[in-house]
Amino acid sequence: MDKQKNQPIEVDIVVVGAGIIGLATAASAAKLGMRVCCIDQQLPPEKEGAIYGQEQLQSAWVSALASPGVTLLDEIGVWDDLKDHACPYHHMRVEIYGAPIHLSHRDAMTPNLGHILNNFRIKQALWQSCRASDGVVFLQDTPQEWRHEEQQLYTTSGQQITAALCVGADGVNSWCRSAAGISHIQHEYIQDNALVGMLQHGKPHHQTARQYFSEHGVLGILPSTDYHRSIYVWSSARGQSQADSLARMLQRVPSEIGSLKLIGEPRSHRIVSQRVTKYHQRQIVLAGDAAVSVHPLAGQGMNIGLRHVIMLMKQLKYAHRNSQLFSNQQILSRYQELCCGFDALSCETYSHMRRWLCHRSGVWSHFVGLGVRCFNQAATVKRVLIRHALHANIH
Ligand SMILES: Cc1cc2nc3c(=O)[nH]c(=O)nc-3n(C[C@H](O)[C@H](O)[C@H](O)COP(=O)(O)OP(=O)(O)OC[C@H]3O[C@@H](n4cnc5c(N)ncnc54)[C@H](O)[C@@H]3O)c2cc1C
């Protein structure tokens, strides 16, 4: 569906933000027969259906996708095209103060622990799904005012959009969150940046994800579809030379995957750890980083956002089937209930892991190392933790 500029638009839901979570919301809602208007300050330029070049599609900007996210992408109809570009991983090795933890898909009783997949590729597939649907209109614009009583959104370019519900998927600095008057809790002690880039290694990665905690930060090494290449994510405190600390950290990495060589220029990302106190207000509902942004050490931010999409669609489907309004307070409160406990636990756990597992004290590290060794032997505890991280308890 193509928009007529400045003609009023009337849809079931308006989605602010065409990042992965906004696009997944728009595509899922369109699959359920809803009319959607998706607005973003910067829509991607489209060339013959493609929006990204090979450089971006093969870049190190990846996510570790857990199985509910894969199921969602499958239901939207894009997983068949994506799966050939995804690297399933079966094992994870974590090292904390030199003490190892080995996690396996067998511990979780799942076929794998997840898939590593390029974010641009996911975005492009979702974009194409939305473009192929008659139910989604895109606008390159920014929201200016949400009049919740009239259920109308006004944009800076003067567009009027009438929608029963506004979904805020506009990222960490969400305009929708402010417009809804929803406050958030931020972990001020998380002051990290992440360097993300590509690594070449002498030996194959054996579809194993690796993570090392040190007093300077956390290094993740994620396998790619090329057995001799992995993606690194180095999170450390802002203000120090991250390239130097990364080089030192790489020297400490055990030689399981042979000699390591950095390839190309890394991307740098500011890390924010925060979560909202409410998920809806004034007919605005929040999803993705707009609601909760977690430290990337567990590779969960997008998975949490995709979980929001699953939970929201469940509620909207229920409303549709029972002839209830999408803005029905009970429906939105149920969405909030389904999200807030899980998100709070995840957000708090990851920020405390960053705080307490990268500590300098010798006595502390000795006791944590001891605890880690005990944990590695505790199969049941490991299973519970992995199943939480894999969102395996979602259904
Ligand atoms: C280093 C790093 C590694 C990560 N690794 C993983 C991982 O392995 N696994 C995982 O699950 N997650 C990971 N994450 C987290 C994941 O990348 C994010 O959670 C996810 O991309 C958030 O998507 P989103 O759509 O909610 O927000 P965004 O991607 O931020 O999208 C928001 C969209 O809203 C638009 N927008 C914003 N404001 C406005 C406005 N006022 N008007 C109009 N449009 C607006 C923006 O242009 C953008 O398109 C990682 C994050 C980092 C930093």
Side-chain angles (χ1 to χ4, degrees), residues 192-195 216-219 233-237 242 271 295-296 354:
D192 282 358
N193 257 354
L195 274 192
H216 301 295
V218 188
L219 175 67
V233 182
W234 169 236
S235 324
S236 58
Q242 287 193 296
I271 294 173
H295 195 287
R354 170 64 181 99

Side-chain angles (χ1 to χ4, degrees), residues 249-303:
M249 187 67 199
L250 287 174
Q251 282 169 6
R252 285 166 56 176
V253 168
S255 59
E256 286 170 341
I257 50 174
S259 57
L260 305 173
K261 189 177 153 213
L262 300 177
I263 307 172
E265 282 301 305
R267 279 171 72 129
S268 176
H269 298 270
R270 190 183 171 90
I271 294 173
V272 174
S273 174
Q274 63 184 31
R275 63 187 170 87
V276 285
T277 51
K278 291 185 82 172
Y279 284 72
H280 71 97
Q281 193 150 271
R282 300 180 191 152
Q283 266 86 285
I284 293 179
V285 61
L286 301 175
D289 277 15
V292 57
S293 170
V294 298
H295 195 287
L297 64 81
Q300 290 298 325
M302 185 191 301
N303 288 305

Side-chain angles (χ1 to χ4, degrees), residues 294-311:
V294 298
H295 195 287
L297 64 81
Q300 290 298 325
M302 185 191 301
N303 288 305
I304 291 174
L306 292 174
R307 187 177 183 275
H308 293 160
V309 180
I310 295 168
M311 295 305 173

Side-chain angles (χ1 to χ4, degrees), residues 187-198:
H187 296 121
E188 300 288 352
Y189 55 84
I190 301 289
Q191 294 285 334
D192 282 358
N193 257 354
L195 274 192
V196 181
M198 197 75 85

Side-chain angles (χ1 to χ4, degrees), residues 6 45 50 60 117 129 139 142 145 149 166 173 242 250 258 292 311 319-321 359 377 389:
N6 288 342
L117 185 54
S129 165
L139 281 184
T142 51
E145 190 186 359
E149 276 141 7
C166 172
N173 301 312
Q242 287 193 296
L250 287 174
V292 57
M311 295 305 173
H320 193 53
R321 211 182 307 129
H359 218 258
Q377 303 299 320

Side-chain angles (χ1 to χ4, degrees), residues 89-372:
Y89 62 103
H90 300 110
H91 304 278
M92 192 163 174
R93 286 181 183 281
V94 184
E95 206 180 281
I96 303 171
Y97 296 123
I101 301 176
H102 180 217
L103 307 172
S104 156
H105 66 109
R106 286 183 220 106
D107 296 322
M109 297 186 290
T110 52
N112 53 58
L113 291 177
H115 288 84
I116 308 296
L117 185 54
N118 178 288
N119 290 332
F120 291 112
R121 226 175 250 288
I122 305 176
K123 226 171 139 177
Q124 177 161 288
L126 290 170
W127 170 265
Q128 286 165 344
S129 165
C130 290
R131 294 297 279 165
S133 157
D134 280 342
V136 187
V137 190
F138 282 102
L139 281 184
Q140 181 159 304
D141 214 336
T142 51
Q144 192 171 50
E145 190 186 359
W146 169 245
R147 295 189 191 158
H148 68 279
E149 276 141 7
E150 291 134 55
Q151 302 184 321
Q152 276 168 352
L153 184 75
Y154 291 86
T155 69
T156 36
S157 71
Q159 185 73 54
Q160 179 191 315
I161 304 156
T162 305
L165 188 65
C166 172
V167 180
D170 48 349
V172 171
N173 301 312
S174 172
W175 176 90
C176 291
R177 194 172 60 224
S178 311
I182 295 174
S183 58
H184 62 283
I185 301 162
Q186 188 164 20
H187 296 121
E188 300 288 352
Y189 55 84
I190 301 289
Q191 294 285 334
D192 282 358
N193 257 354
L195 274 192
V196 181
M198 197 75 85
L199 265 180
Q200 189 149 345
H201 33 82
K203 295 183 190 165
H205 52 54
H206 294 299
Q207 291 172 298
T208 301
R210 296 171 166 83
Q211 191 172 42
Y212 307 91
F213 287 79
S214 81
E215 66 274 29
H216 301 295
V218 188
L219 175 67
I221 299 184
L222 308 172
S224 79
T225 46
D226 178 337
Y227 264 44
H228 289 271
R229 279 192 178 195
S230 293
I231 292 99
Y232 65 85
V233 182
W234 169 236
S235 324
S236 58
R238 281 171 219 147
Q240 61 172 351
S241 165
Q242 287 193 296
D244 290 351
S245 59
L246 170 66
R248 280 197 300 275
M249 187 67 199
L250 287 174
Q251 282 169 6
R252 285 166 56 176
V253 168
S255 59
E256 286 170 341
I257 50 174
S259 57
L260 305 173
K261 189 177 153 213
L262 300 177
I263 307 172
E265 282 301 305
R267 279 171 72 129
S268 176
H269 298 270
R270 190 183 171 90
I271 294 173
V272 174
S273 174
Q274 63 184 31
R275 63 187 170 87
V276 285
T277 51
K278 291 185 82 172
Y279 284 72
H280 71 97
Q281 193 150 271
R282 300 180 191 152
Q283 266 86 285
I284 293 179
V285 61
L286 301 175
D289 277 15
V292 57
S293 170
V294 298
H295 195 287
L297 64 81
Q300 290 298 325
M302 185 191 301
N303 288 305
I304 291 174
L306 292 174
R307 187 177 183 275
H308 293 160
V309 180
I310 295 168
M311 295 305 173
L312 184 61
M313 288 307 133
K314 225 177 189 170
Q315 294 314 304
L316 297 187
K317 210 166 153 182
Y318 176 86
H320 193 53
R321 211 182 307 129
N322 294 286
S323 309
Q324 292 179 351
L325 296 174
F326 290 148
S327 53
N328 179 303
Q329 290 304 297
Q330 271 181 333
I331 297 283
L332 299 181
S333 296
R334 180 77 188 120
Y335 166 69
Q336 174 167 293
E337 268 169 40
L338 290 166
C339 297
C340 69
F342 185 92
D343 292 359
L345 181 61
S346 306
C347 188
E348 296 302 318
T349 304
Y350 307 143
S351 60
H352 284 295
M353 281 172 77
R354 170 64 181 99
R355 190 177 200 185
W356 296 109
L357 299 183
C358 299
H359 218 258
R360 266 171 214 274
S361 148
V363 182
W364 172 252
S365 58
H366 174 75
F367 281 110
V368 173
L370 214 61
V372 168

